[in-house]
Amino acid sequence: MKVGLVPTMGALHEGHLSLVSLALGETDRVVVSIFVNPSQFGPEEDLASYPDTFDEDLKKLEEAGVHCVFCPSNDEIYPEGFSTSIHVSGLTDTLCGKYRTGHFDGVSTVCAVLFSIVRPDIALFGRKDAQQLAVIRRMVDDLRFGIDILAGEIIRECDGLAMSSRNSYLSSQERVQASVIYRGLSRAAELVSKGERVVERIYDAVREVIETAPLATIQYLELVDPDSMKPVSKLTTPALLAVAVYFGHTRLIDNVILKP
Ligand code: AMP
């Protein structure tokens, strides 16, 4: 019997549920974990205010046909004396890793613990968190977890905004303006389809679109290799264009693969 695991931090939306339905198609038993992992939040980040919609989450998972929901306490994951941290190097130097110190160590460590407890055959992650996906794949390979990692496509709102638990932080004005992120990334894809290969010109075009939103502040915009997460200076093979944008205190990420 094949077991699939979908790790989440709750506040579930269609993005999470798309991973659940992928898992249901690939395995016999689907486990969804809900754990807001403190070790992946920085001291200035939103751990204390992270949205909690636990009862609704359970209802959605039951309706989706999930077999088991695993909601461990902090002490179950990090019992007294817990002293291990997993660091995947290289891949975590760019993009979010550069701005969220220790974030991916927290992610790798909690996923390793979840994998050891649940012992799934397959674990599913969304492409929205493309760097996280690459880091987990590397860790699972390096540490020979023997788990297949499957990736789910990015699920978006009607205006293109990538679904995220953090979208609920946005004011109505910010929410309207947040659609510039996907519009910017789509502009990049369109330019590349018309033959543009100069990375700086692609950045300029994306910035131009995102900066039409007065409430948007770009944290990073970078083209990287989709596996190594190393910066790419020439678009010769498919590359990941990733962006992080602040709207007020809310930090949103998104990405697109650019195919020359
Ligand atoms: P989170 O609860 O934010 O930690 O996300 C749990 C899983 O859902 C991660 O693998 C995310 O990449 C994935 N996910 C989050 N948002 C989306 C989305 N809009 N589309 C697809 N997957 C998503």
Side-chain angles (χ1 to χ4, degrees):
M1 187 176 298
K2 263 192 165 182
V3 174
L5 171 66
V6 181
T8 81
M9 299 205 297
L12 302 181
H13 50 67
E14 291 298 321
H16 299 110
L17 297 177
S18 72
L19 295 177
V20 166
S21 66
L22 249 182
L24 286 166
E26 295 288 331
T27 60
D28 308 296
R29 291 290 182 271
V30 173
V31 180
V32 173
S33 62
I34 299 180
F35 180 62
V36 182
N37 173 36
S39 74
Q40 70 187 70
F41 287 79
E44 307 291 313
E45 293 182 1
D46 56 339
L47 174 63
S49 58
Y50 199 79
D52 176 351
T53 57
F54 189 68
D55 293 339
E56 290 145 64
D57 291 353
L58 286 188
K59 221 167 122 198
K60 286 179 185 168
L61 294 176
E62 193 174 359
E63 276 167 19
V66 162
H67 302 93
C68 171
V69 182
F70 178 45
C71 341
S73 66
N74 244 341
D75 286 350
E76 273 178 274
I77 299 296
Y78 301 114
E80 219 190 306
F82 189 99
S83 313
T84 300
S85 176
I86 297 180
H87 177 70
V88 177
S89 62
L91 287 177
T92 53
D93 292 343
T94 51
L95 311 181
C96 294
K98 191 161 145 191
Y99 295 93
R100 300 186 70 189
T101 313
H103 167 70
F104 286 113
D105 295 359
V107 169
S108 310
T109 305
V110 78
C111 285
V113 173
L114 291 171
F115 292 164
S116 296
I117 295 173
V118 177
R119 301 193 178 261
D121 300 283
I122 292 176
L124 299 97
F125 293 84
R127 291 195 193 278
K128 191 192 144 240
D129 300 275
Q131 190 171 23
Q132 167 173 283
L133 174 65
V135 166
I136 296 299
R137 284 205 153 122
R138 186 76 254 166
M139 175 186 78
V140 162
D141 268 12
D142 287 352
L143 301 182
R144 280 79 155 179
F145 271 101
I147 297 171
D148 282 335
I149 303 299
L150 294 193
E153 296 309 317
I154 302 176
I155 305 300
R156 300 179 178 283
E157 302 285 357
C158 298
D159 64 353
L161 177 65
M163 289 193 182
S164 165
S165 308
R166 290 187 165 104
N167 291 352
S168 65
Y169 298 150
L170 298 169
S171 70
S172 52
Q173 241 186 338
E174 289 167 344
R175 172 63 193 84
V176 170
Q177 294 186 21
S179 64
V180 293
I181 302 174
Y182 184 60
R183 287 215 305 278
L185 295 177
S186 304
R187 177 88 186 107
E190 185 191 321
L191 285 178
V192 171
S193 76
K194 288 183 178 152
E196 184 62 83
R197 298 290 179 266
V198 179
V199 174
E200 275 309 326
R201 280 212 286 266
I202 296 170
Y203 288 161
D204 286 347
V206 177
R207 279 200 202 100
E208 198 177 300
V209 176
I210 294 180
E211 283 165 3
T212 61
L215 300 175
T217 307
I218 298 175
Q219 184 185 51
Y220 68 71
L221 172 68
E222 195 152 11
L223 191 69
V224 297
D225 176 272
D227 300 315
S228 71
M229 297 287 134
K230 286 211 173 87
V232 164
S233 55
K234 247 190 186 162
L235 191 57
T236 48
T237 51
L240 181 85
L241 182 64
V243 65
V245 181
Y246 272 101
F247 282 87
H249 294 294
T250 307
R251 183 177 174 279
L252 303 176
I253 58 169
D254 201 349
N255 65 78
V256 68
I257 294 280
L258 298 182
K259 294 183 187 141

